[in-house]
Amino acid sequence: DLRGVKSLIVKLGDRVVEEIAVHGRGVIERLFSDCGDYTAQCVMSAGSLSQACEFSVCELDFRLPAEAPARSKPWDIKFTAGNLSVIAVQVMNPKPPYDRYLLWLTDQDRRDGKLTVPAGLIREPGLVQVWIIGENRYGRLSRQQEIAIAE
């Protein structure tokens, strides 16, 4: 670019993942599949380094029961998370009266990779949205799926 950037160095921890040569202005896009906390720094034409820019690559996914759970019975939400901690699950009705239920995870839930939704929590049968929320020091990430709740 016009400020003398020669290359961009991307690191995962202390390991250099990639050094990207810079040739003029433009946007450089990369996809990283390894979860972790990364840094990116510009190497200036004089050899000095810019301030590091920190970013995070995370994974968050969850599975709901294959069959519609009954309101009167507990049911499990199984999850996986990489480079973040699952903190909560929100279950909500997408239609009025928009009932919302926020379930906070315990350390044991995180170790087990699942959360049990208590029997009777959902008042009415029908479609509900399930949101799983994870966070790390850079922010939060959420995923959403829908499931039908049976009588």
CSV table of all heavy atoms in Angstrom, one decimal, residues 3-62:
chain,number,residue,atom,x,y,z
A,3,ARG,N,1.6,3.1,2.4
A,3,ARG,CA,2.3,3.4,3.7
A,3,ARG,C,3.5,2.4,3.9
A,3,ARG,O,4.1,2.4,4.9
A,3,ARG,CB,1.3,3.2,4.8
A,3,ARG,CG,0.2,4.2,4.8
A,3,ARG,CD,-0.7,4.1,5.9
A,3,ARG,NE,-1.8,5.1,5.7
A,3,ARG,CZ,-2.4,5.7,6.7
A,3,ARG,NH1,-2.2,5.4,7.9
A,3,ARG,NH2,-3.4,6.5,6.4
A,4,GLY,N,3.8,1.7,2.8
A,4,GLY,CA,5.0,0.9,2.9
A,4,GLY,C,4.8,-0.5,3.6
A,4,GLY,O,5.8,-1.0,4.2
A,5,VAL,N,3.7,-1.1,3.5
A,5,VAL,CA,3.4,-2.4,4.0
A,5,VAL,C,4.0,-3.4,3.1
A,5,VAL,O,3.6,-3.5,1.9
A,5,VAL,CB,1.9,-2.7,4.3
A,5,VAL,CG1,1.7,-4.1,4.8
A,5,VAL,CG2,1.4,-1.7,5.3
A,6,LYS,N,4.9,-4.3,3.6
A,6,LYS,CA,5.5,-5.3,2.7
A,6,LYS,C,4.8,-6.6,2.8
A,6,LYS,O,4.6,-7.3,1.8
A,6,LYS,CB,7.0,-5.5,3.2
A,6,LYS,CG,7.8,-6.4,2.4
A,6,LYS,CD,9.3,-6.4,2.7
A,6,LYS,CE,9.5,-7.2,4.0
A,6,LYS,NZ,10.9,-7.4,4.3
A,7,SER,N,4.3,-7.0,4.0
A,7,SER,CA,3.6,-8.2,4.2
A,7,SER,C,2.8,-8.2,5.4
A,7,SER,O,2.9,-7.3,6.2
A,7,SER,CB,4.6,-9.4,4.2
A,7,SER,OG,5.4,-9.3,5.4
A,8,LEU,N,2.0,-9.2,5.6
A,8,LEU,CA,1.1,-9.4,6.7
A,8,LEU,C,1.4,-10.8,7.3
A,8,LEU,O,1.4,-11.8,6.6
A,8,LEU,CB,-0.4,-9.3,6.3
A,8,LEU,CG,-1.4,-9.6,7.4
A,8,LEU,CD1,-1.4,-8.4,8.4
A,8,LEU,CD2,-2.8,-9.7,6.8
A,9,ILE,N,1.7,-10.8,8.6
A,9,ILE,CA,2.0,-12.0,9.3
A,9,ILE,C,0.9,-12.4,10.2
A,9,ILE,O,0.4,-11.6,11.0
A,9,ILE,CB,3.3,-11.9,10.1
A,9,ILE,CG1,4.5,-11.7,9.3
A,9,ILE,CG2,3.5,-13.2,11.0
A,9,ILE,CD1,5.8,-11.4,10.0
A,10,VAL,N,0.4,-13.6,10.0
A,10,VAL,CA,-0.7,-14.1,10.9
A,10,VAL,C,-0.2,-15.2,11.7
A,10,VAL,O,0.5,-16.2,11.2
A,10,VAL,CB,-1.9,-14.7,10.0
A,10,VAL,CG1,-3.0,-15.2,10.9
A,10,VAL,CG2,-2.4,-13.6,9.1
A,11,LYS,N,-0.4,-15.1,13.1
A,11,LYS,CA,0.1,-16.1,14.0
A,11,LYS,C,-1.1,-16.7,14.8
A,11,LYS,O,-2.0,-16.0,15.2
A,11,LYS,CB,1.1,-15.5,15.0
A,11,LYS,CG,2.4,-15.0,14.4
A,11,LYS,CD,3.3,-14.5,15.5
A,11,LYS,CE,4.6,-14.0,14.9
A,11,LYS,NZ,5.4,-13.5,16.0
A,12,LEU,N,-0.9,-18.0,15.2
A,12,LEU,CA,-1.8,-18.6,16.2
A,12,LEU,C,-0.9,-18.9,17.3
A,12,LEU,O,0.0,-19.8,17.2
A,12,LEU,CB,-2.4,-19.9,15.6
A,12,LEU,CG,-3.2,-20.8,16.5
A,12,LEU,CD1,-4.3,-20.0,17.1
A,12,LEU,CD2,-3.7,-22.0,15.8
A,13,GLY,N,-1.0,-18.2,18.4
A,13,GLY,CA,-0.1,-18.2,19.5
A,13,GLY,C,1.3,-17.7,19.0
A,13,GLY,O,1.3,-16.6,18.4
A,14,ASP,N,2.3,-18.5,19.2
A,14,ASP,CA,3.7,-18.1,18.7
A,14,ASP,C,4.0,-18.6,17.3
A,14,ASP,O,5.0,-18.3,16.8
A,14,ASP,CB,4.7,-18.5,19.7
A,14,ASP,CG,4.6,-17.8,21.1
A,14,ASP,OD1,4.1,-16.7,21.1
A,14,ASP,OD2,5.0,-18.4,22.1
A,15,ARG,N,3.1,-19.5,16.8
A,15,ARG,CA,3.4,-20.1,15.5
A,15,ARG,C,2.9,-19.3,14.4
A,15,ARG,O,1.7,-18.9,14.3
A,15,ARG,CB,2.7,-21.5,15.5
A,15,ARG,CG,2.8,-22.3,14.2
A,15,ARG,CD,2.2,-23.7,14.3
A,15,ARG,NE,0.8,-23.7,14.6
A,15,ARG,CZ,-0.2,-23.7,13.6
A,15,ARG,NH1,0.2,-23.6,12.3
A,15,ARG,NH2,-1.4,-23.7,13.9
A,16,VAL,N,3.7,-19.0,13.4
A,16,VAL,CA,3.3,-18.3,12.2
A,16,VAL,C,2.5,-19.2,11.3
A,16,VAL,O,2.9,-20.3,10.9
A,16,VAL,CB,4.6,-17.8,11.4
A,16,VAL,CG1,4.1,-17.2,10.1
A,16,VAL,CG2,5.4,-16.8,12.2
A,17,VAL,N,1.3,-18.8,11.1
A,17,VAL,CA,0.3,-19.6,10.2
A,17,VAL,C,0.5,-19.2,8.8
A,17,VAL,O,0.5,-20.1,7.9
A,17,VAL,CB,-1.1,-19.3,10.7
A,17,VAL,CG1,-2.1,-20.0,9.7
A,17,VAL,CG2,-1.4,-19.7,12.1
A,18,GLU,N,0.8,-17.9,8.5
A,18,GLU,CA,0.9,-17.5,7.1
A,18,GLU,C,1.6,-16.1,7.1
A,18,GLU,O,1.3,-15.3,7.9
A,18,GLU,CB,-0.4,-17.5,6.4
A,18,GLU,CG,-0.4,-17.2,5.0
A,18,GLU,CD,-1.8,-17.3,4.3
A,18,GLU,OE1,-2.8,-17.5,5.0
A,18,GLU,OE2,-1.8,-17.2,3.0
A,19,GLU,N,2.4,-16.0,6.1
A,19,GLU,CA,3.0,-14.6,5.8
A,19,GLU,C,2.5,-14.3,4.4
A,19,GLU,O,2.8,-15.0,3.4
A,19,GLU,CB,4.5,-14.6,5.9
A,19,GLU,CG,5.0,-13.2,5.7
A,19,GLU,CD,6.4,-12.9,6.1
A,19,GLU,OE1,7.1,-13.9,6.6
A,19,GLU,OE2,6.9,-11.8,6.0
A,20,ILE,N,1.8,-13.2,4.3
A,20,ILE,CA,1.1,-12.8,3.0
A,20,ILE,C,1.8,-11.6,2.5
A,20,ILE,O,1.8,-10.6,3.1
A,20,ILE,CB,-0.4,-12.5,3.3
A,20,ILE,CG1,-1.1,-13.7,4.0
A,20,ILE,CG2,-1.1,-12.1,2.0
A,20,ILE,CD1,-2.4,-13.4,4.6
A,21,ALA,N,2.3,-11.7,1.3
A,21,ALA,CA,3.0,-10.6,0.6
A,21,ALA,C,1.9,-9.6,0.2
A,21,ALA,O,0.8,-10.0,-0.3
A,21,ALA,CB,3.7,-11.1,-0.6
A,22,VAL,N,2.1,-8.3,0.3
A,22,VAL,CA,1.2,-7.3,0.0
A,22,VAL,C,1.7,-6.6,-1.3
A,22,VAL,O,2.8,-6.1,-1.3
A,22,VAL,CB,1.0,-6.3,1.2
A,22,VAL,CG1,0.1,-5.2,0.7
A,22,VAL,CG2,0.4,-7.0,2.4
A,23,HIS,N,0.9,-6.5,-2.3
A,23,HIS,CA,1.2,-5.8,-3.5
A,23,HIS,C,0.1,-4.8,-3.9
A,23,HIS,O,-0.8,-5.1,-4.6
A,23,HIS,CB,1.3,-6.9,-4.7
A,23,HIS,CG,2.3,-8.0,-4.4
A,23,HIS,ND1,3.6,-7.8,-4.4
A,23,HIS,CD2,2.1,-9.3,-4.1
A,23,HIS,CE1,4.2,-8.9,-4.1
A,23,HIS,NE2,3.3,-9.8,-3.9
A,24,GLY,N,0.2,-3.7,-3.3
A,24,GLY,CA,-0.8,-2.6,-3.6
A,24,GLY,C,-2.0,-2.7,-2.7
A,24,GLY,O,-2.1,-3.5,-1.8
A,25,ARG,N,-3.0,-1.9,-3.0
A,25,ARG,CA,-4.2,-1.8,-2.2
A,25,ARG,C,-5.1,-3.0,-2.5
A,25,ARG,O,-5.0,-3.6,-3.6
A,25,ARG,CB,-4.9,-0.5,-2.5
A,25,ARG,CG,-4.3,0.7,-2.0
A,25,ARG,CD,-5.1,1.9,-2.3
A,25,ARG,NE,-4.4,3.1,-1.7
A,25,ARG,CZ,-5.0,4.2,-1.5
A,25,ARG,NH1,-6.3,4.3,-1.8
A,25,ARG,NH2,-4.4,5.2,-1.0
A,26,GLY,N,-6.0,-3.3,-1.6
A,26,GLY,CA,-7.0,-4.3,-1.8
A,26,GLY,C,-7.3,-5.0,-0.5
A,26,GLY,O,-6.8,-4.8,0.6
A,27,VAL,N,-8.2,-6.0,-0.6
A,27,VAL,CA,-8.7,-6.7,0.5
A,27,VAL,C,-8.1,-8.1,0.4
A,27,VAL,O,-8.1,-8.7,-0.7
A,27,VAL,CB,-10.2,-6.8,0.5
A,27,VAL,CG1,-10.7,-7.8,1.6
A,27,VAL,CG2,-10.8,-5.4,0.7
A,28,ILE,N,-7.6,-8.6,1.5
A,28,ILE,CA,-7.0,-10.0,1.5
A,28,ILE,C,-7.9,-10.8,2.4
A,28,ILE,O,-8.1,-10.4,3.6
A,28,ILE,CB,-5.6,-10.0,2.0
A,28,ILE,CG1,-4.7,-9.2,1.1
A,28,ILE,CG2,-5.0,-11.4,2.2
A,28,ILE,CD1,-3.3,-8.9,1.6
A,29,GLU,N,-8.5,-11.9,1.9
A,29,GLU,CA,-9.3,-12.7,2.7
A,29,GLU,C,-8.7,-14.1,2.9
A,29,GLU,O,-8.1,-14.6,2.0
A,29,GLU,CB,-10.7,-12.9,2.0
A,29,GLU,CG,-11.5,-11.7,2.0
A,29,GLU,CD,-12.9,-11.9,1.4
A,29,GLU,OE1,-13.4,-13.1,1.4
A,29,GLU,OE2,-13.5,-10.9,0.9
A,30,ARG,N,-8.8,-14.6,4.1
A,30,ARG,CA,-8.4,-15.9,4.5
A,30,ARG,C,-9.4,-16.6,5.4
A,30,ARG,O,-10.1,-16.0,6.1
A,30,ARG,CB,-7.0,-15.9,5.2
A,30,ARG,CG,-5.9,-15.4,4.4
A,30,ARG,CD,-5.5,-16.4,3.3
A,30,ARG,NE,-4.3,-16.1,2.7
A,30,ARG,CZ,-4.2,-15.3,1.6
A,30,ARG,NH1,-5.2,-14.6,1.1
A,30,ARG,NH2,-3.0,-15.1,1.1
A,31,LEU,N,-9.5,-17.9,5.2
A,31,LEU,CA,-10.3,-18.7,6.1
A,31,LEU,C,-9.4,-19.6,7.0
A,31,LEU,O,-8.5,-20.2,6.5
A,31,LEU,CB,-11.2,-19.7,5.3
A,31,LEU,CG,-12.3,-19.0,4.4
A,31,LEU,CD1,-13.0,-20.0,3.6
A,31,LEU,CD2,-13.2,-18.2,5.3
A,32,PHE,N,-9.6,-19.6,8.3
A,32,PHE,CA,-8.8,-20.4,9.2
A,32,PHE,C,-9.7,-21.4,9.9
A,32,PHE,O,-10.8,-21.1,10.4
A,32,PHE,CB,-8.2,-19.5,10.3
A,32,PHE,CG,-7.3,-18.4,9.7
A,32,PHE,CD1,-7.7,-17.1,9.6
A,32,PHE,CD2,-6.0,-18.8,9.3
A,32,PHE,CE1,-6.9,-16.2,9.0
A,32,PHE,CE2,-5.2,-17.8,8.7
A,32,PHE,CZ,-5.6,-16.5,8.6
A,33,SER,N,-9.3,-22.7,9.8
A,33,SER,CA,-10.1,-23.8,10.4
A,33,SER,C,-9.7,-24.2,11.8
A,33,SER,O,-10.5,-24.8,12.5
A,33,SER,CB,-10.1,-25.0,9.5
A,33,SER,OG,-8.7,-25.4,9.3
A,34,ASP,N,-8.5,-23.8,12.2
A,34,ASP,CA,-8.1,-24.2,13.6
A,34,ASP,C,-8.6,-23.1,14.6
A,34,ASP,O,-8.3,-21.9,14.4
A,34,ASP,CB,-6.5,-24.2,13.7
A,34,ASP,CG,-6.0,-25.4,12.9
A,34,ASP,OD1,-6.7,-26.4,12.7
A,34,ASP,OD2,-4.8,-25.3,12.5
A,35,CYS,N,-9.3,-23.6,15.6
A,35,CYS,CA,-9.8,-22.7,16.6
A,35,CYS,C,-8.7,-22.1,17.4
A,35,CYS,O,-7.7,-22.9,17.7
A,35,CYS,CB,-10.8,-23.4,17.5
A,35,CYS,SG,-12.4,-23.8,16.7
A,36,GLY,N,-8.7,-20.9,17.8
A,36,GLY,CA,-7.7,-20.3,18.7
A,36,GLY,C,-7.7,-18.8,18.6
A,36,GLY,O,-8.5,-18.2,17.8
A,37,ASP,N,-6.8,-18.2,19.4
A,37,ASP,CA,-6.7,-16.7,19.4
A,37,ASP,C,-5.5,-16.4,18.5
A,37,ASP,O,-4.4,-16.8,18.7
A,37,ASP,CB,-6.5,-16.2,20.8
A,37,ASP,CG,-7.7,-16.4,21.6
A,37,ASP,OD1,-8.8,-16.5,21.1
A,37,ASP,OD2,-7.5,-16.5,22.9
A,38,TYR,N,-5.7,-15.6,17.4
A,38,TYR,CA,-4.8,-15.2,16.4
A,38,TYR,C,-4.3,-13.8,16.6
A,38,TYR,O,-5.0,-13.0,17.2
A,38,TYR,CB,-5.4,-15.4,15.0
A,38,TYR,CG,-5.6,-16.8,14.6
A,38,TYR,CD1,-6.7,-17.5,15.1
A,38,TYR,CD2,-4.8,-17.4,13.6
A,38,TYR,CE1,-6.9,-18.8,14.6
A,38,TYR,CE2,-5.0,-18.6,13.1
A,38,TYR,CZ,-6.1,-19.4,13.7
A,38,TYR,OH,-6.3,-20.6,13.2
A,39,THR,N,-3.2,-13.5,16.0
A,39,THR,CA,-2.7,-12.1,15.8
A,39,THR,C,-2.3,-11.9,14.4
A,39,THR,O,-1.9,-12.8,13.7
A,39,THR,CB,-1.5,-11.7,16.8
A,39,THR,OG1,-0.5,-12.6,16.5
A,39,THR,CG2,-1.9,-11.8,18.2
A,40,ALA,N,-2.5,-10.7,13.9
A,40,ALA,CA,-2.0,-10.3,12.6
A,40,ALA,C,-1.2,-9.0,12.8
A,40,ALA,O,-1.7,-8.1,13.5
A,40,ALA,CB,-3.2,-10.1,11.7
A,41,GLN,N,-0.1,-8.9,12.1
A,41,GLN,CA,0.8,-7.7,12.1
A,41,GLN,C,1.3,-7.4,10.7
A,41,GLN,O,1.6,-8.4,10.0
A,41,GLN,CB,2.0,-7.9,13.0
A,41,GLN,CG,1.7,-7.9,14.5
A,41,GLN,CD,2.9,-8.0,15.3
A,41,GLN,OE1,3.5,-9.1,15.4
A,41,GLN,NE2,3.4,-6.9,15.9
A,42,CYS,N,1.4,-6.2,10.4
A,42,CYS,CA,2.0,-5.7,9.2
A,42,CYS,C,3.5,-5.6,9.3
A,42,CYS,O,4.0,-5.1,10.4
A,42,CYS,CB,1.5,-4.4,8.7
A,42,CYS,SG,-0.3,-4.4,8.3
A,43,VAL,N,4.2,-6.1,8.4
A,43,VAL,CA,5.7,-5.9,8.3
A,43,VAL,C,5.9,-4.7,7.3
A,43,VAL,O,5.5,-4.8,6.2
A,43,VAL,CB,6.4,-7.1,7.8
A,43,VAL,CG1,7.9,-6.9,7.7
A,43,VAL,CG2,6.2,-8.3,8.7
A,44,MET,N,6.4,-3.6,7.8
A,44,MET,CA,6.6,-2.4,7.0
A,44,MET,C,7.9,-2.6,6.2
A,44,MET,O,8.7,-3.5,6.4
A,44,MET,CB,6.8,-1.2,8.0
A,44,MET,CG,5.6,-1.1,9.0
A,44,MET,SD,4.0,-1.2,8.3
A,44,MET,CE,3.8,0.4,7.6
A,45,SER,N,8.0,-1.8,5.1
A,45,SER,CA,9.1,-1.9,4.2
A,45,SER,C,10.4,-1.7,4.9
A,45,SER,O,11.5,-2.2,4.5
A,45,SER,CB,8.9,-1.0,3.0
A,45,SER,OG,8.8,0.3,3.5
A,46,ALA,N,10.5,-1.0,6.0
A,46,ALA,CA,11.7,-0.7,6.7
A,46,ALA,C,12.0,-1.9,7.7
A,46,ALA,O,13.0,-1.9,8.4
A,46,ALA,CB,11.6,0.6,7.5
A,47,GLY,N,11.1,-2.9,7.8
A,47,GLY,CA,11.3,-4.0,8.6
A,47,GLY,C,10.6,-4.0,10.0
A,47,GLY,O,10.6,-5.0,10.7
A,48,SER,N,10.1,-2.8,10.3
A,48,SER,CA,9.4,-2.7,11.6
A,48,SER,C,8.0,-3.4,11.6
A,48,SER,O,7.5,-3.6,10.5
A,48,SER,CB,9.2,-1.3,12.0
A,48,SER,OG,8.4,-0.6,11.1
A,49,LEU,N,7.5,-3.7,12.7
A,49,LEU,CA,6.1,-4.4,12.8
A,49,LEU,C,5.1,-3.4,13.3
A,49,LEU,O,5.4,-2.5,14.2
A,49,LEU,CB,6.2,-5.5,13.8
A,49,LEU,CG,7.0,-6.7,13.4
A,49,LEU,CD1,7.1,-7.8,14.5
A,49,LEU,CD2,6.5,-7.4,12.1
A,50,SER,N,3.9,-3.5,12.8
A,50,SER,CA,2.8,-2.7,13.3
A,50,SER,C,2.3,-3.2,14.6
A,50,SER,O,2.7,-4.3,15.0
A,50,SER,CB,1.6,-2.7,12.2
A,50,SER,OG,1.1,-4.0,12.2
A,51,GLN,N,1.4,-2.5,15.2
A,51,GLN,CA,0.7,-3.0,16.4
A,51,GLN,C,-0.1,-4.3,16.0
A,51,GLN,O,-0.6,-4.4,14.9
A,51,GLN,CB,-0.2,-2.0,16.9
A,51,GLN,CG,-0.9,-2.4,18.2
A,51,GLN,CD,-1.8,-1.3,18.8
A,51,GLN,OE1,-1.7,-0.2,18.4
A,51,GLN,NE2,-2.6,-1.7,19.7
A,52,ALA,N,-0.1,-5.3,16.9
A,52,ALA,CA,-0.8,-6.5,16.5
A,52,ALA,C,-2.3,-6.3,16.6
A,52,ALA,O,-2.8,-5.6,17.5
A,52,ALA,CB,-0.4,-7.6,17.5
A,53,CYS,N,-3.0,-6.9,15.7
A,53,CYS,CA,-4.5,-7.0,15.7
A,53,CYS,C,-4.9,-8.4,16.1
A,53,CYS,O,-4.4,-9.4,15.6
A,53,CYS,CB,-5.0,-6.7,14.3
A,53,CYS,SG,-6.8,-7.0,14.1
A,54,GLU,N,-5.7,-8.5,17.2
A,54,GLU,CA,-6.1,-9.8,17.7
A,54,GLU,C,-7.5,-10.2,17.2
A,54,GLU,O,-8.3,-9.3,17.1
A,54,GLU,CB,-6.1,-9.7,19.2
A,54,GLU,CG,-4.8,-9.4,19.9
A,54,GLU,CD,-4.9,-9.3,21.4
A,54,GLU,OE1,-6.0,-9.3,21.9
A,54,GLU,OE2,-3.8,-9.2,22.0
A,55,PHE,N,-7.6,-11.5,16.9
A,55,PHE,CA,-8.9,-12.0,16.5
A,55,PHE,C,-9.0,-13.4,16.9
A,55,PHE,O,-8.0,-14.1,17.3
A,55,PHE,CB,-9.2,-11.8,15.0
A,55,PHE,CG,-8.3,-12.5,14.1
A,55,PHE,CD1,-8.7,-13.7,13.5
A,55,PHE,CD2,-7.1,-12.0,13.7
A,55,PHE,CE1,-7.9,-14.4,12.7
A,55,PHE,CE2,-6.2,-12.7,12.9
A,55,PHE,CZ,-6.6,-13.9,12.3
A,56,SER,N,-10.2,-14.0,16.9
A,56,SER,CA,-10.5,-15.3,17.4
A,56,SER,C,-11.2,-16.1,16.4
A,56,SER,O,-12.1,-15.6,15.7
A,56,SER,CB,-11.3,-15.2,18.7
A,56,SER,OG,-11.5,-16.4,19.3
A,57,VAL,N,-10.8,-17.4,16.3
A,57,VAL,CA,-11.6,-18.4,15.5
A,57,VAL,C,-12.2,-19.4,16.4
A,57,VAL,O,-11.5,-20.0,17.2
A,57,VAL,CB,-10.6,-19.1,14.4
A,57,VAL,CG1,-11.4,-20.2,13.7
A,57,VAL,CG2,-10.0,-18.1,13.5
A,58,CYS,N,-13.5,-19.5,16.3
A,58,CYS,CA,-14.3,-20.3,17.2
A,58,CYS,C,-15.2,-21.3,16.5
A,58,CYS,O,-15.5,-21.1,15.3
A,58,CYS,CB,-15.1,-19.5,18.1
A,58,CYS,SG,-14.3,-18.2,19.0
A,59,GLU,N,-15.6,-22.3,17.2
A,59,GLU,CA,-16.6,-23.3,16.7
A,59,GLU,C,-17.7,-23.4,17.7
A,59,GLU,O,-17.4,-23.5,18.9
A,59,GLU,CB,-15.9,-24.6,16.4
A,59,GLU,CG,-16.8,-25.7,15.9
A,59,GLU,CD,-17.3,-26.7,17.0
A,59,GLU,OE1,-16.6,-26.9,18.0
A,59,GLU,OE2,-18.4,-27.2,16.8
A,60,LEU,N,-18.9,-23.4,17.3
A,60,LEU,CA,-20.1,-23.6,18.2
A,60,LEU,C,-21.2,-24.3,17.4
A,60,LEU,O,-21.6,-23.9,16.3
A,60,LEU,CB,-20.6,-22.2,18.6
A,60,LEU,CG,-21.8,-22.2,19.6
A,60,LEU,CD1,-21.5,-23.0,20.9
A,60,LEU,CD2,-22.3,-20.8,19.9
A,61,ASP,N,-21.6,-25.4,17.9
A,61,ASP,CA,-22.7,-26.2,17.3
A,61,ASP,C,-23.5,-26.9,18.3
A,61,ASP,O,-23.0,-27.1,19.5
A,61,ASP,CB,-22.0,-27.2,16.3
A,61,ASP,CG,-23.0,-27.7,15.3
A,61,ASP,OD1,-24.1,-27.2,15.1
A,61,ASP,OD2,-22.7,-28.7,14.6
A,62,PHE,N,-24.7,-27.3,18.0
A,62,PHE,CA,-25.5,-28.1,18.9
A,62,PHE,C,-26.5,-28.9,18.2
A,62,PHE,O,-26.8,-28.7,17.0
A,62,PHE,CB,-26.2,-27.1,20.0
A,62,PHE,CG,-27.3,-26.2,19.4
A,62,PHE,CD1,-28.6,-26.6,19.6
A,62,PHE,CD2,-27.0,-25.1,18.8
A,62,PHE,CE1,-29.6,-25.7,19.2
A,62,PHE,CE2,-28.0,-24.2,18.3
A,62,PHE,CZ,-29.3,-24.6,18.5
